[in-house]
Coordinates of all heavy atoms in Angstrom, one line a residue:
Chain B
R228 N -19.6 0.3 20.7 CA -18.8 1.0 19.7 C -19.5 2.3 19.4 O -18.8 3.3 19.2 CB -18.7 0.2 18.5 CG -17.8 0.9 17.4 CD -16.4 0.7 17.6 NE -16.0 -0.5 17.0 CZ -15.8 -0.7 15.7 NH1 -15.8 0.3 14.9 NH2 -15.5 -1.9 15.2
L229 N -20.8 2.4 19.4 CA -21.4 3.7 19.2 C -21.1 4.6 20.3 O -20.8 5.8 20.1 CB -23.0 3.5 19.0 CG -23.4 3.0 17.7 CD1 -24.9 2.5 17.8 CD2 -23.3 4.0 16.6
A230 N -21.1 4.1 21.5 CA -20.7 5.0 22.7 C -19.3 5.4 22.5 O -19.0 6.6 22.8 CB -20.9 4.2 24.0
Y231 N -18.4 4.6 22.1 CA -17.0 4.9 21.9 C -16.9 6.0 20.9 O -16.1 7.0 21.0 CB -16.3 3.6 21.4 CG -14.8 3.6 21.3 CD1 -14.0 4.3 22.2 CD2 -14.2 2.8 20.4 CE1 -12.6 4.2 22.1 CE2 -12.8 2.7 20.3 CZ -12.0 3.4 21.2 OH -10.6 3.3 21.1
A232 N -17.7 5.9 19.8 CA -17.7 6.9 18.8 C -18.2 8.3 19.3 O -17.6 9.3 19.0 CB -18.5 6.4 17.6
M233 N -19.3 8.2 20.0 CA -20.0 9.5 20.4 C -19.2 10.2 21.5 O -19.1 11.4 21.5 CB -21.4 9.2 20.8 CG -22.3 8.6 19.7 SD -22.3 9.6 18.1 CE -22.6 8.2 16.9
L234 N -18.7 9.5 22.4 CA -18.0 10.1 23.5 C -16.6 10.6 23.0 O -16.0 11.4 23.7 CB -17.7 9.1 24.7 CG -18.7 9.1 25.8 CD1 -18.7 10.4 26.6 CD2 -20.2 8.9 25.3
S235 N -16.2 10.3 21.8 CA -15.0 10.9 21.3 C -15.3 12.3 20.7 O -14.4 13.0 20.2 CB -14.4 10.0 20.2 OG -15.1 10.1 18.9
L236 N -16.5 12.6 20.6 CA -16.9 14.0 20.1 C -16.7 15.0 21.3 O -17.3 14.7 22.4 CB -18.3 14.0 19.6 CG -18.6 13.2 18.4 CD1 -20.0 13.2 18.0 CD2 -17.7 13.7 17.2
G237 N -16.1 16.1 21.1 CA -15.9 17.1 22.1 C -17.2 17.5 22.6 O -18.2 17.7 21.9
S238 N -17.3 17.7 23.9 CA -18.5 18.3 24.6 C -19.7 17.3 24.8 O -20.7 17.6 25.4 CB -19.1 19.5 23.8 OG -18.2 20.5 23.9
V239 N -19.5 16.0 24.3 CA -20.5 15.0 24.7 C -20.1 14.4 26.0 O -19.0 14.0 26.2 CB -20.5 13.9 23.6 CG1 -21.4 12.8 24.0 CG2 -21.0 14.5 22.3
K240 N -21.1 14.4 26.9 CA -20.8 14.0 28.3 C -21.6 12.8 28.7 O -21.6 12.4 29.9 CB -21.1 15.1 29.3 CG -20.2 16.3 29.2 CD -18.7 16.1 29.3 CE -18.2 15.8 30.8 NZ -16.8 15.7 30.9
G241 N -22.5 12.3 27.8 CA -23.3 11.1 28.2 C -24.0 10.5 27.0 O -24.2 11.2 26.0
I242 N -24.3 9.2 27.1 CA -25.1 8.6 26.0 C -26.0 7.6 26.7 O -25.7 6.9 27.7 CB -24.2 7.9 25.0 CG1 -24.9 7.3 23.8 CG2 -23.3 6.9 25.6 CD1 -24.1 6.9 22.6
E243 N -27.2 7.4 26.1 CA -28.1 6.3 26.6 C -28.8 5.7 25.4 O -29.0 6.4 24.4 CB -29.1 6.8 27.6 CG -29.9 8.0 27.1 CD -30.9 8.4 28.2 OE1 -30.9 8.0 29.3 OE2 -31.8 9.3 27.8
F244 N -29.1 4.4 25.4 CA -29.7 3.7 24.3 C -31.1 3.3 24.7 O -31.4 2.8 25.8 CB -28.9 2.4 24.0 CG -27.6 2.8 23.4 CD1 -26.5 3.1 24.2 CD2 -27.4 2.8 22.0 CE1 -25.2 3.4 23.7 CE2 -26.2 3.1 21.5 CZ -25.1 3.4 22.3
G245 N -32.1 3.5 23.8 CA -33.4 3.2 24.0 C -33.9 4.0 25.3 O -33.7 5.2 25.3
D246 N -34.5 3.3 26.2 CA -35.0 4.0 27.4 C -33.9 4.5 28.3 O -34.1 5.4 29.2 CB -35.9 3.1 28.2 CG -37.3 2.9 27.6 OD1 -37.5 3.3 26.4 OD2 -38.2 2.4 28.3
G247 N -32.7 4.0 28.1 CA -31.5 4.5 28.8 C -31.7 4.5 30.3 O -32.1 3.6 31.0
F248 N -31.4 5.7 30.9 CA -31.5 5.9 32.3 C -32.9 5.6 32.9 O -33.1 5.3 34.0 CB -31.0 7.2 32.7 CG -29.5 7.3 32.8 CD1 -28.7 7.6 31.7 CD2 -28.8 6.9 34.0 CE1 -27.3 7.6 31.7 CE2 -27.4 6.9 34.0 CZ -26.6 7.3 32.9

Side-chain angles (χ1 to χ4, degrees):
Chain B
R228 183 84 84 80
L229 283 166
Y231 191 32
M233 301 305 154
L234 265 293
S235 80
L236 295 176
S238 295
V239 173
K240 298 300 287 186
I242 185 169
E243 56 179 7
F244 291 84
D246 285 13
F248 280 89

